[in-house]
Amino acid sequence: MAQISKETTIGQLLQVHPETAPILMEIGMHCLGCPSSQGESLEEAAMVHGLDVDLLVEKINASIAAQ
């Protein structure tokens, strides 16, 4: 998986980049292990949590690039 997009599911993200879990946790996405969250896209999760998905994706990709 090259870059993360808003269509990337939480399950895909955590499978390929488990080191991004703290980013999701610090913004309030605490149910990362829930079965329903695994199939939820970052866009869907951001909408539920009232977050800007573009900023979230940017932060995740910056973190991955810094690794």
Side-chain angles (χ1 to χ4, degrees):
M1 180 179 298
Q3 273 208 320
I4 301 306
S5 73
K6 60 185 176 183
E7 289 82 22
T8 303
T9 66
I10 292 174
Q12 291 169 325
L13 173 63
L14 294 176
Q15 184 176 19
V16 178
H17 297 288
E19 72 278 7
T20 61
I23 294 171
L24 300 177
M25 295 289 284
E26 76 184 23
I27 61 171
M29 293 184 185
H30 297 263
C31 58
L32 300 179
C34 300
S36 61
S37 74
Q38 296 300 298
E40 192 172 47
S41 71
L42 289 172
E43 183 172 37
E44 293 166 331
M47 184 177 57
V48 168
H49 290 276
L51 302 168
D52 182 325
V53 68
D54 295 320
L55 289 176
L56 174 60
V57 169
E58 184 179 316
K59 184 173 185 173
I60 291 169
N61 280 320
S63 174
I64 292 168
Q67 296 290 321

